[in-house]
């Protein structure tokens, strides 16, 4: 599967990355090589191999439903670029 | 030209856990903003989610109650999108291997506006909730305030097939789902507080001279009450028909649209167009492990459910002789009222009478006083005594409402109410004498009754009550008819 410039632009948009012309150029090449590398797997015969749904062998790990203390609000808000002491402040979202 | 409205619903219910789905922050509604968060639910690097056992169990219970199949293997995936109320940058949801699928829910309408039907359920999956944006437009501030208390609360998303054919059916589906889920205690399903939310996918199938045409599917959001669900779908069907007449646009001609319901304006308004599913770039969440379940575990959950609302409706109609309308009205009052009803019905042995009291007089009082059944001053035992007193003629039926009101306002039992009303039992010989006197004084009525007009007796009942206010009209009628036969 070849990676095109359009693919890179679309993925960049979804990831909210603003790329320069030069970055789009080099990422198209880089991503193309990565996908090409992974594509080698397509050469392996997997007809009789069960698909793997998850990389971890463990299953059914649960915690009990018991409330524990949360972060103090000052700490929760501490690293936000903007807050008013109660909530995180963000630019208004359009169209909502 | 005619059309059919086609509706599928995506319902989100918050599961009634104490703590969140992947961390131990409280899920309590209404707390001060951002006082119930931790590194896991606000997406700090290096934090590790661990699934809440109770949340999984409640989700499983719900899935079984809506007749879903439970696959042996399920896993969780990351659904990536950017929004200010989603601090992780992805929602932990389920993509290709949900925890349950292929269920159904039966809906019917006691007023028979539509035929009973099974609405198929495509799937139900467990995921975490996002936070809330507080829009402070009144003060004209430029920024939105974000509260992340709700972030990470367990949600079960229940996706129906597009099996509903009217706004009334969609509303009935929501109401039946709420009844079922509150009955089994997995959620409080409060639409105003957002613990039950609903998006509707709506389009029209229009009969045209060239065959059927389907209009583009529109997803409606922001419906905060059952009434809103009904109104929004009704409005949207009319709007789509008008658009179709103008543009003749069919499904596939335009991208899927999202519209928000504006309850005050009574309209749906256009929002952003929906990103394609592949744009969410789902992949298995490497922080969480899969969950395996055995058929035995699923059976144990099924056995623990007990009778569900649909079963109870059937029992009331088949085993206790209530009409299906009465059974429906009763079951729809919810679990607490139903328990009260069963207490009174079993103790008095008269299901029909208990049903009438509970669905009529008691419901009226509860509504007027804005009370719940637990706060109601007449206990189920006392109601049973009232019903029994009427049954064995200690209390004439005609005075039963007065006795009920006295019991209610003075918080007394039925014996005290009977005494307070000055009701003395009229013994059989007094009743015979009274009736005989009346019949002797009214030969025309006797002749009418003998001639087959039994309803002529009615005129004597009023007279009997004038002579003795304690007589029971039913008994007077019965006694007079018996006496006429002997005359």
């Amino acid at each position: 599967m070849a990676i095109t410039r359009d693919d890179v632009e679309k993925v960049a948009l979804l990831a909210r990355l603003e790329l320069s012309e030069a970055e789009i150029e080099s990422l198209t090449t880089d991503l193309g090589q990565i996908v090409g590398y992974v594509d080698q797997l397509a050469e392996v015969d997997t007809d009789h191999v069960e698909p793997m749904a998850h990389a971890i062998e463990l299953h059914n790990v649960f915690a009990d439903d018991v409330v524990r203390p949360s972060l103090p609000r000052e700490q929760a808000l501490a690293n936000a670029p903007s807050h008013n002491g109660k909530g995180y402040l963000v630019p208004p979202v359009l169209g909502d | 030209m005619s059309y059919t409205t086609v509706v599928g619903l995506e319902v989100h219910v918050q599961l009634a856990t104490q703590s969140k789905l992947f961390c131990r922050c409280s899920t309590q509604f209404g707390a001060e903003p951002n006082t119930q968060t931790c590194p896991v639910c606000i997406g700090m690097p290096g934090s590790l989610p661990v699934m809440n056992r109770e949340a999984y169990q409640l989700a499983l219970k719900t899935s079984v109650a809506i007749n879903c199949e439970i696959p042996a293997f399920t896993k969780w995936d990351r659904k990536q999108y950017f929004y200010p109320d989603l601090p992780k940058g992805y929602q932990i949801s389920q993509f290709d291997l949900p925890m349950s699928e292929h269920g159904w829910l039966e809906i019917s309408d006691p007023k028979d506006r539509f035929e009973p039907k099974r609405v198929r359920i495509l799937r139900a999956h467990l995921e975490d909730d996002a936070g809330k944006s507080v829009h402070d437009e009144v003060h004209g501030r430029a920024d939105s305030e974000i509260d992340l208390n709700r972030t990470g609360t367990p949600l079960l998303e229940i996706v129906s097939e597009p099996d509903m054919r009217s706004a009334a059916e969609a509303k009935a589906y929501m109401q039946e789902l709420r009844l079922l889920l509150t009955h089994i205690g997995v959620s409080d399903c409060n639409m105003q507080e957002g613990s039950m939310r609903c998006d509707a996918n709506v389009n029209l199938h229009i009969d045209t001279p060239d065959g059927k045409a389907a209009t583009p599917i529109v997803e409606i959001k922001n419906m905060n009450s059952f009434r809103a669900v009904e109104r929004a779908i009704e409005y949207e069907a009319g709007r789509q028909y008008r658009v179709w007449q103008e543009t003749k646009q069919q499904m596939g001609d335009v991208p899927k649209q999202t519209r928000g319901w504006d309850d005050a304006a009574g309209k749906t308004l256009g929002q952003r167009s929906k990103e394609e599913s592949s744009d969410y770039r789902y992949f298995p969440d490497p922080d969480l492990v899969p969950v395996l379940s055995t058929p035995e575990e699923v059976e144990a959950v099924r056995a623990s459910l007990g009778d569900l609302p649909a079963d109870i409706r059937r029992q009331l109609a088949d085993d206790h002789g209530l009409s299906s309308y009465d059974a429906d009205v009763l079951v729809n009052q919810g679990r607490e009222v139903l328990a009260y009803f069963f207490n009174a019905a079993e103790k008095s042995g008269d299901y029909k009478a208990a049903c009438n009291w509970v669905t009529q007089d008691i419901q009226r009082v509860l509504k007027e006083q804005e009370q719940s059944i637990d706060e109601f001053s007449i206990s189920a035992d006392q109601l049973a005594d009232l019903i029994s007193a009427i049954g064995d003629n200690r209390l004439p039926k005609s005075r039963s409402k007065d006795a009920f009101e006295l019991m209610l306002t003075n918080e007394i039992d039925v014996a005290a109410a009977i005494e307070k009303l000055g009701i003395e039992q009229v013994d059989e010989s007094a009743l015979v004498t009274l009736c005989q006197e009346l019949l002797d004084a009214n030969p025309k009525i006797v002749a009418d009754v003998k001639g087959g007009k039994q309803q002529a007796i009615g005129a004597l009942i009023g007279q009997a009550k004038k002579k003795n206010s304690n007589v029971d009209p039913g008994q007077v009628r019965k006694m007079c008819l018996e006496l006429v036969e002997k005359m």
Side-chain angles (χ1 to χ4, degrees):
Chain A
M1 187 185 122
I3 292 291
T4 65
R5 200 190 150 81
D6 284 351
D7 294 329
V8 174
E9 283 178 348
K10 186 185 171 194
V11 172
L13 176 70
L14 290 172
R16 302 296 185 268
L17 295 174
E18 204 176 337
L19 301 177
S20 68
E21 273 302 310
E23 283 169 326
I24 293 174
E25 285 299 325
S26 68
L27 278 168
T28 305
T29 311
D30 292 351
L31 283 174
Q33 280 172 1
I34 292 165
V35 169
Y37 175 70
V38 175
D39 261 354
Q40 290 178 56
L41 288 173
E43 293 162 21
V44 183
D45 176 10
T46 55
D47 275 358
H48 302 288
V49 180
E50 203 183 324
M52 188 179 78
H54 205 283
I56 302 176
E57 290 286 320
L58 280 172
H59 56 82
N60 296 40
V61 176
F62 294 110
D64 289 337
D65 182 28
V66 178
V67 174
R68 297 235 191 88
S70 294
L71 278 180
R73 180 155 69 185
E74 311 80 75
Q75 277 187 36
L77 297 174
N79 293 328
S82 177
H83 67 81
N84 62 3
K86 286 195 305 178
Y88 303 87
L89 295 181
V90 298
V93 179
L94 295 175
D96 193 42
Chain B
M1 233 176 285
S2 70
Y3 64 80
T4 309
T5 309
V6 179
V7 185
L9 294 178
E10 286 174 22
V11 178
H12 287 88
V13 287
Q14 277 179 6
L15 299 172
T17 55
Q18 301 299 309
S19 65
K20 293 184 181 181
L21 182 53
F22 298 117
C23 64
R24 305 288 71 80
C25 289
S26 170
T27 55
Q28 187 66 47
F29 181 82
E32 275 290 298
N34 296 301
T35 54
Q36 293 173 175
T37 67
C38 74
V40 173
C41 57
I42 57 179
M44 293 292 173
S47 58
L48 189 70
V50 182
M51 186 170 297
N52 185 329
R53 178 183 288 107
E54 178 69 3
Y56 177 77
Q57 283 301 324
L58 294 178
L60 188 60
K61 209 170 161 180
T62 311
S63 302
V64 173
I66 54 176
N67 307 292
C68 280
E69 293 163 18
I70 312 298
F73 179 100
T74 188
K75 67 167 171 80
W76 278 262
D77 305 279
R78 292 185 178 180
K79 177 183 180 177
Q80 353 254 335
Y81 65 94
F82 286 103
Y83 210 75
D85 61 13
L86 188 78
K88 298 194 299 301
Y90 58 87
Q91 179 186 28
I92 301 176
S93 183
Q94 300 199 276
F95 182 49
D96 54 335
L97 298 169
M99 62 176 294
S100 78
E101 51 194 347
H102 310 311
W104 49 265
L105 186 69
E106 215 156 60
I107 56 167
S108 62
D109 181 32
K111 291 181 188 142
D112 284 327
R113 283 166 305 184
F114 58 84
E115 290 291 305
K117 68 155 69 171
R118 269 185 189 186
V119 175
R120 290 170 300 154
I121 289 164
L122 178 65
R123 58 188 277 167
H125 64 254
L126 180 59
E127 60 187 25
D128 61 358
D129 205 348
K132 267 187 207 164
S133 307
V134 183
H135 298 280
D136 202 351
E137 282 157 23
V138 186
H139 296 92
R141 258 189 285 174
D143 287 341
S144 287
E145 187 184 312
I146 306 290
D147 173 12
L148 297 181
N149 279 350
R150 197 179 67 181
T151 308
T153 299
L155 283 184
L156 191 69
E157 176 173 335
I158 303 168
V159 185
S160 88
E161 297 278 5
D163 282 354
M164 286 152 279
R165 292 291 174 271
S166 67
E169 288 187 10
K171 188 182 171 200
Y173 172 86
M174 291 291 289
Q175 287 176 325
E176 185 65 13
L177 197 57
R178 179 180 64 169
L179 181 66
L180 178 63
L181 302 198
T182 52
H183 182 89
I184 62 175
V186 295
S187 172
D188 61 14
C189 295
N190 183 328
M191 286 192 81
Q192 272 76 46
E193 288 183 6
S195 61
M196 183 182 210
R197 307 199 281 272
C198 162
D199 302 331
N201 284 294
V202 179
N203 79 335
L204 307 179
H205 289 177
I206 301 173
D207 293 318
T208 74
D210 314 317
K212 283 220 187 291
T215 59
I217 296 175
V218 169
E219 181 173 354
I220 314 174
K221 290 184 173 292
N222 202 28
M223 299 171 288
N224 296 324
S225 67
F226 293 110
R227 182 82 189 107
V229 172
E230 195 175 28
R231 287 176 67 209
I233 293 169
E234 261 163 21
Y235 171 84
E236 181 59 22
R239 190 196 67 82
Q240 287 189 19
Y241 190 63
R242 290 193 299 277
V243 171
W244 185 80
Q245 282 176 312
E246 262 175 49
T247 65
K248 296 284 184 275
Q249 270 174 352
Q250 297 201 28
M251 197 152 50
D253 292 347
V254 287
K256 181 172 168 178
Q257 203 194 0
T258 303
R259 300 180 69 84
W261 171 245
D262 182 334
D263 206 57
K267 285 178 175 183
T268 61
L269 302 169
Q271 295 184 338
R272 73 194 149 89
S273 48
K274 185 106 175 156
E275 282 175 296
E276 286 300 314
S277 142
S278 60
D279 280 357
Y280 289 124
R281 294 148 296 146
Y282 282 97
F283 70 87
D285 192 316
D287 287 342
L288 289 159
V289 300
V291 170
L292 275 55
S293 55
T294 64
E296 291 75 27
E297 282 164 349
V298 175
E299 271 320 303
V301 170
R302 200 185 307 280
S304 76
L305 288 175
D307 287 333
L308 300 178
D311 303 319
I312 299 170
R313 277 195 200 101
R314 260 191 296 277
Q315 288 162 12
L316 287 172
D318 297 349
D319 304 343
H320 301 300
L322 296 189
S323 69
S324 52
Y325 179 84
D326 279 345
D328 197 67
V329 172
L330 206 48
V331 171
N332 290 352
Q333 310 294 339
R335 194 172 192 141
E336 287 77 20
V337 172
L338 205 53
Y340 180 97
F341 159 79
F342 272 113
N343 273 338
E346 277 157 21
K347 186 136 186 279
S348 67
D350 192 339
Y351 282 75
K352 176 66 186 159
C355 170
N356 288 346
W357 283 108
V358 169
T359 59
Q360 294 164 24
D361 304 88
I362 295 179
Q363 276 310 311
R364 173 180 54 77
V365 174
L366 295 182
K367 243 188 209 143
E368 282 168 10
Q369 315 278 333
E370 293 182 2
Q371 279 180 329
S372 73
I373 192 77
D374 305 325
E375 300 163 308
F376 187 60
S377 64
I378 300 175
S379 70
D381 280 356
Q382 287 175 334
L383 179 68
D385 289 343
L386 173 69
I387 294 167
S388 302
I390 301 163
D392 55 24
N393 296 321
R394 276 179 292 133
L395 174 64
K397 211 168 181 175
S398 55
R399 308 293 301 276
S400 63
K401 305 259 165 177
D402 299 336
F404 176 80
E405 292 301 327
L406 275 179
M407 290 169 72
L408 192 64
T409 45
N410 297 357
E411 305 202 0
I412 52 176
D413 65 9
V414 69
I418 289 172
E419 202 187 312
K420 222 174 164 56
L421 285 170
I423 294 169
E424 281 162 40
Q425 232 172 331
V426 180
D427 67 26
E428 176 108 354
S429 66
L431 188 67
V432 173
T433 313
L434 176 73
C435 291
Q436 193 62 55
E437 276 172 24
L438 287 172
L439 291 170
D440 292 345
N442 294 284
K444 185 166 183 315
I445 291 178
V446 175
D448 283 350
V449 173
K450 280 188 180 285
K453 281 174 69 183
Q454 291 211 340
Q455 66 271 31
I457 288 291
L460 296 182
I461 292 170
Q463 293 187 36
K465 288 218 63 144
K466 264 185 210 153
K467 285 182 184 278
N468 183 343
S469 65
N470 290 325
V471 294
D472 179 72
Q475 282 182 294
V476 172
R477 175 187 303 273
K478 206 169 140 228
M479 181 58 70
C480 285
L481 287 173
E482 276 176 33
L483 291 172
V484 168
E485 241 166 64
K486 288 183 209 153
M487 283 170 87

